[in-house]
Amino acid sequence: MRDKVIKAVRDFSMLSGGEDVTVALSGGADSTALLLCLIDLGYRCSAVHVNHNLRGDESLRDEDFCKDLCRRLGVPLTVKSVDVKSYCAEKRLSTELGARELRYAAFSGISGKIATAHTLSDSVETAIFNLARGSGIKGLTGIPPVRGRFVRPLIYCTRGEIEEYLMCKGQDFVTDSTNLLPDCSRNIIRLNVIPELKKINPSLENAFIRTFAALRDADDLIARESQKILDSFDGKAYDFTGVADGAVLSGAITELLRREKIEPSAEKVAEIKSLIGTTGRIELKKGIYIRADGESLTIERPSPPPEPVGIVVGQNPFWDGFVNVTEISPFDISAFNKPALRYFIDKAKIGGVMTARPYRGSEKIALPNRGFSTEVKKLLTVFPPEERKRAVIIDVGGKAVLVEGTGVCEDLSCDKNTSCALRIDIIRREKNE
């Protein structure tokens, strides 16, 4: 095992000689062997133990074991306790995913390299699990030997080799009893699938080392070619001109979606591939689209809501043009027809500061002579759907008093007693300006 750790560290440039490293220590066979081996190889080790508090007394037993082991070895130990059950309930996550998130959050307070005890056996199980679910090349390459500051020195070692190493050292370890139950996908693979495959090839894990290396080379090639497409981004669009290889297309689209923080499902990638070379768009998720113009792809996101602007007598710039406010005094209501009066406000009734803002949802306005309030959302249907969030609402004291395309509310409308009125003219720029 020791030689395989040396080879893994060298092959993947994990650690430099004598470098400080923190071992993620659970107390199980893998992490215990990892700590002993790295100390034996001359690395300056500390350890971190995360108690997930999922197994009652067994969790406390694991923590105590790690404390005793590190005390005997003279290794500094940091213990972090997390409440996985409450976190998963709050975030609506599976126990496995929630525990992983909390574990890596605990690691965020640790500086420098962190060595985790993922083994070749773990990597094979991961690849088989991904294959069963349906996966691209990356999912079949197993667990990455290095990911950022996380390194996996046991990635060439099988579980059997690790247990043999510990036996030779006379070192005990703790066992997570949940790993022995065939009640989840990974345990089913470990306890049932792997033994059957080993009947075909007793050296199954070592065969996978060659497979992983070949698949990583292929994945690296696709990633390099995909990056060329991503590098074509000019601030507006991605250029897929001349890209004929299906694997490169899929790789580039997958990374494009990840860059845009959108989950790259196989179905979504295939749908986008079929879009390239046409003209049209598809919805990626609510309000976010990808548009094709031939071999050019553009991500369309909803614009952020415009900022409110103050309104006074005169010309007031807003997000798409100007709100012109004209004061008319003395005012004679008989000089104007009803359609025009929709955009007149009785100045004496305002009682606050006027602002122009966009629609903000779940608000109503009582229009003159109707006897009831109307949802502003319904009034905005006079605009095309993509323009409704940019329509002008005149606001006083947090209340909509005038809606573009409809007019003023009853409370501020002019009548025969109005002596001074404000005429509101909303002037929009031409779209090509």
Side-chain angles (χ1 to χ4, degrees), residues 138-160:
K138 187 176 289 295
L140 301 181
T141 60
I143 297 171
V146 176
R147 178 175 285 163
R149 68 194 186 103
F150 292 92
V151 298
R152 281 105 188 205
L154 298 181
I155 205 66
Y156 284 156
C157 304
T158 66
R159 190 162 289 116

PDB file of all heavy atoms in Angstrom, residues 138-160:
ATOM      1  N   LYS A 138     -17.112  11.720 -18.045  1.00  0.00           N
ATOM      2  CA  LYS A 138     -16.583  12.203 -16.768  1.00  0.00           C
ATOM      3  C   LYS A 138     -17.093  11.367 -15.602  1.00  0.00           C
ATOM      4  O   LYS A 138     -16.344  11.049 -14.668  1.00  0.00           O
ATOM      5  CB  LYS A 138     -16.933  13.681 -16.564  1.00  0.00           C
ATOM      6  CG  LYS A 138     -16.275  14.291 -15.327  1.00  0.00           C
ATOM      7  CD  LYS A 138     -16.569  15.769 -15.226  1.00  0.00           C
ATOM      8  CE  LYS A 138     -15.843  16.578 -16.275  1.00  0.00           C
ATOM      9  NZ  LYS A 138     -14.364  16.522 -16.092  1.00  0.00           N
ATOM     10  N   GLY A 139     -18.350  10.989 -15.634  1.00  0.00           N
ATOM     11  CA  GLY A 139     -18.903  10.201 -14.544  1.00  0.00           C
ATOM     12  C   GLY A 139     -18.327   8.803 -14.456  1.00  0.00           C
ATOM     13  O   GLY A 139     -18.415   8.160 -13.418  1.00  0.00           O
ATOM     14  N   LEU A 140     -17.715   8.327 -15.557  1.00  0.00           N
ATOM     15  CA  LEU A 140     -17.137   6.990 -15.576  1.00  0.00           C
ATOM     16  C   LEU A 140     -15.655   6.990 -15.243  1.00  0.00           C
ATOM     17  O   LEU A 140     -15.028   5.930 -15.234  1.00  0.00           O
ATOM     18  CB  LEU A 140     -17.353   6.346 -16.957  1.00  0.00           C
ATOM     19  CG  LEU A 140     -18.816   6.214 -17.398  1.00  0.00           C
ATOM     20  CD1 LEU A 140     -18.892   5.552 -18.757  1.00  0.00           C
ATOM     21  CD2 LEU A 140     -19.632   5.428 -16.368  1.00  0.00           C
ATOM     22  N   THR A 141     -15.092   8.177 -14.993  1.00  0.00           N
ATOM     23  CA  THR A 141     -13.671   8.247 -14.642  1.00  0.00           C
ATOM     24  C   THR A 141     -13.439   8.040 -13.151  1.00  0.00           C
ATOM     25  O   THR A 141     -12.305   8.118 -12.681  1.00  0.00           O
ATOM     26  CB  THR A 141     -13.067   9.607 -15.059  1.00  0.00           C
ATOM     27  OG1 THR A 141     -13.764  10.669 -14.385  1.00  0.00           O
ATOM     28  CG2 THR A 141     -13.155   9.815 -16.563  1.00  0.00           C
ATOM     29  N   GLY A 142     -14.492   7.768 -12.417  1.00  0.00           N
ATOM     30  CA  GLY A 142     -14.353   7.525 -10.985  1.00  0.00           C
ATOM     31  C   GLY A 142     -14.196   8.806 -10.201  1.00  0.00           C
ATOM     32  O   GLY A 142     -14.603   9.884 -10.635  1.00  0.00           O
ATOM     33  N   ILE A 143     -13.590   8.696  -9.036  1.00  0.00           N
ATOM     34  CA  ILE A 143     -13.368   9.856  -8.165  1.00  0.00           C
ATOM     35  C   ILE A 143     -12.085  10.550  -8.603  1.00  0.00           C
ATOM     36  O   ILE A 143     -11.045   9.894  -8.732  1.00  0.00           O
ATOM     37  CB  ILE A 143     -13.265   9.400  -6.698  1.00  0.00           C
ATOM     38  CG1 ILE A 143     -14.587   8.761  -6.251  1.00  0.00           C
ATOM     39  CG2 ILE A 143     -12.909  10.577  -5.785  1.00  0.00           C
ATOM     40  CD1 ILE A 143     -14.521   8.091  -4.888  1.00  0.00           C
ATOM     41  N   PRO A 144     -12.115  11.855  -8.837  1.00  0.00           N
ATOM     42  CA  PRO A 144     -10.890  12.542  -9.265  1.00  0.00           C
ATOM     43  C   PRO A 144      -9.808  12.470  -8.191  1.00  0.00           C
ATOM     44  O   PRO A 144     -10.093  12.721  -7.015  1.00  0.00           O
ATOM     45  CB  PRO A 144     -11.346  13.979  -9.508  1.00  0.00           C
ATOM     46  CG  PRO A 144     -12.633  14.123  -8.787  1.00  0.00           C
ATOM     47  CD  PRO A 144     -13.261  12.772  -8.747  1.00  0.00           C
ATOM     48  N   PRO A 145      -8.577  12.123  -8.561  1.00  0.00           N
ATOM     49  CA  PRO A 145      -7.494  12.030  -7.570  1.00  0.00           C
ATOM     50  C   PRO A 145      -7.210  13.359  -6.866  1.00  0.00           C
ATOM     51  O   PRO A 145      -6.824  13.374  -5.701  1.00  0.00           O
ATOM     52  CB  PRO A 145      -6.290  11.587  -8.412  1.00  0.00           C
ATOM     53  CG  PRO A 145      -6.895  10.904  -9.606  1.00  0.00           C
ATOM     54  CD  PRO A 145      -8.136  11.673  -9.889  1.00  0.00           C
ATOM     55  N   VAL A 146      -7.411  14.461  -7.588  1.00  0.00           N
ATOM     56  CA  VAL A 146      -7.187  15.794  -7.027  1.00  0.00           C
ATOM     57  C   VAL A 146      -8.355  16.678  -7.431  1.00  0.00           C
ATOM     58  O   VAL A 146      -8.784  16.669  -8.588  1.00  0.00           O
ATOM     59  CB  VAL A 146      -5.869  16.413  -7.533  1.00  0.00           C
ATOM     60  CG1 VAL A 146      -5.711  17.842  -7.020  1.00  0.00           C
ATOM     61  CG2 VAL A 146      -4.671  15.569  -7.116  1.00  0.00           C
ATOM     62  N   ARG A 147      -8.890  17.418  -6.472  1.00  0.00           N
ATOM     63  CA  ARG A 147      -9.920  18.420  -6.787  1.00  0.00           C
ATOM     64  C   ARG A 147      -9.632  19.638  -5.945  1.00  0.00           C
ATOM     65  O   ARG A 147      -9.906  19.672  -4.754  1.00  0.00           O
ATOM     66  CB  ARG A 147     -11.319  17.881  -6.516  1.00  0.00           C
ATOM     67  CG  ARG A 147     -12.425  18.911  -6.790  1.00  0.00           C
ATOM     68  CD  ARG A 147     -13.800  18.308  -6.616  1.00  0.00           C
ATOM     69  NE  ARG A 147     -14.158  17.447  -7.718  1.00  0.00           N
ATOM     70  CZ  ARG A 147     -15.138  16.546  -7.684  1.00  0.00           C
ATOM     71  NH1 ARG A 147     -15.832  16.375  -6.570  1.00  0.00           N
ATOM     72  NH2 ARG A 147     -15.424  15.805  -8.741  1.00  0.00           N
ATOM     73  N   GLY A 148      -9.017  20.650  -6.576  1.00  0.00           N
ATOM     74  CA  GLY A 148      -8.626  21.838  -5.828  1.00  0.00           C
ATOM     75  C   GLY A 148      -7.583  21.468  -4.788  1.00  0.00           C
ATOM     76  O   GLY A 148      -6.559  20.859  -5.091  1.00  0.00           O
ATOM     77  N   ARG A 149      -7.867  21.801  -3.552  1.00  0.00           N
ATOM     78  CA  ARG A 149      -6.908  21.504  -2.474  1.00  0.00           C
ATOM     79  C   ARG A 149      -7.157  20.155  -1.813  1.00  0.00           C
ATOM     80  O   ARG A 149      -6.465  19.769  -0.873  1.00  0.00           O
ATOM     81  CB  ARG A 149      -6.930  22.624  -1.430  1.00  0.00           C
ATOM     82  CG  ARG A 149      -8.211  22.745  -0.617  1.00  0.00           C
ATOM     83  CD  ARG A 149      -8.251  24.060   0.125  1.00  0.00           C
ATOM     84  NE  ARG A 149      -9.397  24.159   1.028  1.00  0.00           N
ATOM     85  CZ  ARG A 149      -9.338  24.020   2.343  1.00  0.00           C
ATOM     86  NH1 ARG A 149      -8.175  23.743   2.916  1.00  0.00           N
ATOM     87  NH2 ARG A 149     -10.399  24.159   3.105  1.00  0.00           N
ATOM     88  N   PHE A 150      -8.151  19.409  -2.322  1.00  0.00           N
ATOM     89  CA  PHE A 150      -8.430  18.082  -1.791  1.00  0.00           C
ATOM     90  C   PHE A 150      -7.667  17.030  -2.594  1.00  0.00           C
ATOM     91  O   PHE A 150      -7.769  16.987  -3.827  1.00  0.00           O
ATOM     92  CB  PHE A 150      -9.930  17.797  -1.836  1.00  0.00           C
ATOM     93  CG  PHE A 150     -10.724  18.640  -0.887  1.00  0.00           C
ATOM     94  CD1 PHE A 150     -11.269  19.855  -1.292  1.00  0.00           C
ATOM     95  CD2 PHE A 150     -10.906  18.256   0.432  1.00  0.00           C
ATOM     96  CE1 PHE A 150     -11.979  20.651  -0.424  1.00  0.00           C
ATOM     97  CE2 PHE A 150     -11.620  19.037   1.317  1.00  0.00           C
ATOM     98  CZ  PHE A 150     -12.157  20.247   0.894  1.00  0.00           C
ATOM     99  N   VAL A 151      -6.891  16.206  -1.897  1.00  0.00           N
ATOM    100  CA  VAL A 151      -6.088  15.171  -2.549  1.00  0.00           C
ATOM    101  C   VAL A 151      -6.486  13.803  -2.009  1.00  0.00           C
ATOM    102  O   VAL A 151      -6.932  13.673  -0.860  1.00  0.00           O
ATOM    103  CB  VAL A 151      -4.576  15.427  -2.349  1.00  0.00           C
ATOM    104  CG1 VAL A 151      -4.173  16.744  -2.994  1.00  0.00           C
ATOM    105  CG2 VAL A 151      -4.202  15.443  -0.861  1.00  0.00           C
ATOM    106  N   ARG A 152      -6.325  12.774  -2.848  1.00  0.00           N
ATOM    107  CA  ARG A 152      -6.738  11.419  -2.490  1.00  0.00           C
ATOM    108  C   ARG A 152      -5.572  10.445  -2.672  1.00  0.00           C
ATOM    109  O   ARG A 152      -5.473   9.733  -3.689  1.00  0.00           O
ATOM    110  CB  ARG A 152      -7.914  10.964  -3.353  1.00  0.00           C
ATOM    111  CG  ARG A 152      -9.255  11.533  -2.891  1.00  0.00           C
ATOM    112  CD  ARG A 152      -9.750  12.630  -3.783  1.00  0.00           C
ATOM    113  NE  ARG A 152     -10.935  13.280  -3.212  1.00  0.00           N
ATOM    114  CZ  ARG A 152     -11.844  13.911  -3.944  1.00  0.00           C
ATOM    115  NH1 ARG A 152     -11.719  13.998  -5.242  1.00  0.00           N
ATOM    116  NH2 ARG A 152     -12.865  14.495  -3.361  1.00  0.00           N
ATOM    117  N   PRO A 153      -4.642  10.402  -1.718  1.00  0.00           N
ATOM    118  CA  PRO A 153      -3.450   9.554  -1.872  1.00  0.00           C
ATOM    119  C   PRO A 153      -3.733   8.055  -1.937  1.00  0.00           C
ATOM    120  O   PRO A 153      -2.878   7.284  -2.378  1.00  0.00           O
ATOM    121  CB  PRO A 153      -2.615   9.898  -0.627  1.00  0.00           C
ATOM    122  CG  PRO A 153      -3.083  11.258  -0.208  1.00  0.00           C
ATOM    123  CD  PRO A 153      -4.543  11.249  -0.517  1.00  0.00           C
ATOM    124  N   LEU A 154      -4.921   7.595  -1.494  1.00  0.00           N
ATOM    125  CA  LEU A 154      -5.245   6.174  -1.519  1.00  0.00           C
ATOM    126  C   LEU A 154      -5.938   5.753  -2.808  1.00  0.00           C
ATOM    127  O   LEU A 154      -6.468   4.635  -2.888  1.00  0.00           O
ATOM    128  CB  LEU A 154      -6.151   5.819  -0.331  1.00  0.00           C
ATOM    129  CG  LEU A 154      -5.590   6.017   1.078  1.00  0.00           C
ATOM    130  CD1 LEU A 154      -6.624   5.592   2.120  1.00  0.00           C
ATOM    131  CD2 LEU A 154      -4.296   5.242   1.273  1.00  0.00           C
ATOM    132  N   ILE A 155      -5.942   6.602  -3.829  1.00  0.00           N
ATOM    133  CA  ILE A 155      -6.762   6.362  -5.014  1.00  0.00           C
ATOM    134  C   ILE A 155      -6.301   5.148  -5.822  1.00  0.00           C
ATOM    135  O   ILE A 155      -7.054   4.645  -6.665  1.00  0.00           O
ATOM    136  CB  ILE A 155      -6.805   7.635  -5.895  1.00  0.00           C
ATOM    137  CG1 ILE A 155      -8.073   7.657  -6.761  1.00  0.00           C
ATOM    138  CG2 ILE A 155      -5.529   7.784  -6.724  1.00  0.00           C
ATOM    139  CD1 ILE A 155      -9.345   7.787  -5.988  1.00  0.00           C
ATOM    140  N   TYR A 156      -5.089   4.640  -5.584  1.00  0.00           N
ATOM    141  CA  TYR A 156      -4.623   3.409  -6.237  1.00  0.00           C
ATOM    142  C   TYR A 156      -4.781   2.178  -5.328  1.00  0.00           C
ATOM    143  O   TYR A 156      -4.424   1.072  -5.720  1.00  0.00           O
ATOM    144  CB  TYR A 156      -3.145   3.525  -6.606  1.00  0.00           C
ATOM    145  CG  TYR A 156      -2.828   4.373  -7.823  1.00  0.00           C
ATOM    146  CD1 TYR A 156      -1.567   4.956  -7.975  1.00  0.00           C
ATOM    147  CD2 TYR A 156      -3.767   4.581  -8.828  1.00  0.00           C
ATOM    148  CE1 TYR A 156      -1.256   5.728  -9.086  1.00  0.00           C
ATOM    149  CE2 TYR A 156      -3.467   5.353  -9.951  1.00  0.00           C
ATOM    150  CZ  TYR A 156      -2.210   5.924 -10.070  1.00  0.00           C
ATOM    151  OH  TYR A 156      -1.899   6.684 -11.178  1.00  0.00           O
ATOM    152  N   CYS A 157      -5.280   2.354  -4.113  1.00  0.00           N
ATOM    153  CA  CYS A 157      -5.301   1.283  -3.119  1.00  0.00           C
ATOM    154  C   CYS A 157      -6.695   0.671  -2.985  1.00  0.00           C
ATOM    155  O   CYS A 157      -7.696   1.388  -2.922  1.00  0.00           O
ATOM    156  CB  CYS A 157      -4.862   1.809  -1.758  1.00  0.00           C
ATOM    157  SG  CYS A 157      -3.223   2.593  -1.769  1.00  0.00           S
ATOM    158  N   THR A 158      -6.743  -0.661  -2.893  1.00  0.00           N
ATOM    159  CA  THR A 158      -8.024  -1.328  -2.682  1.00  0.00           C
ATOM    160  C   THR A 158      -8.306  -1.445  -1.188  1.00  0.00           C
ATOM    161  O   THR A 158      -7.403  -1.308  -0.351  1.00  0.00           O
ATOM    162  CB  THR A 158      -8.021  -2.741  -3.285  1.00  0.00           C
ATOM    163  OG1 THR A 158      -7.093  -3.550  -2.560  1.00  0.00           O
ATOM    164  CG2 THR A 158      -7.629  -2.709  -4.756  1.00  0.00           C
ATOM    165  N   ARG A 159      -9.559  -1.726  -0.877  1.00  0.00           N
ATOM    166  CA  ARG A 159      -9.944  -1.850   0.525  1.00  0.00           C
ATOM    167  C   ARG A 159      -9.207  -3.022   1.182  1.00  0.00           C
ATOM    168  O   ARG A 159      -8.786  -2.936   2.342  1.00  0.00           O
ATOM    169  CB  ARG A 159     -11.463  -2.031   0.603  1.00  0.00           C
ATOM    170  CG  ARG A 159     -12.024  -1.929   2.014  1.00  0.00           C
ATOM    171  CD  ARG A 159     -13.518  -1.680   1.981  1.00  0.00           C
ATOM    172  NE  ARG A 159     -13.833  -0.334   1.515  1.00  0.00           N
ATOM    173  CZ  ARG A 159     -14.502  -0.082   0.387  1.00  0.00           C
ATOM    174  NH1 ARG A 159     -14.917  -1.070  -0.384  1.00  0.00           N
ATOM    175  NH2 ARG A 159     -14.745   1.169   0.021  1.00  0.00           N
ATOM    176  N   GLY A 160      -9.018  -4.084   0.427  1.00  0.00           N
ATOM    177  CA  GLY A 160      -8.302  -5.225   0.980  1.00  0.00           C
ATOM    178  C   GLY A 160      -6.858  -4.896   1.316  1.00  0.00           C
ATOM    179  O   GLY A 160      -6.329  -5.323   2.359  1.00  0.00           O
TER     180      GLY A 160
END
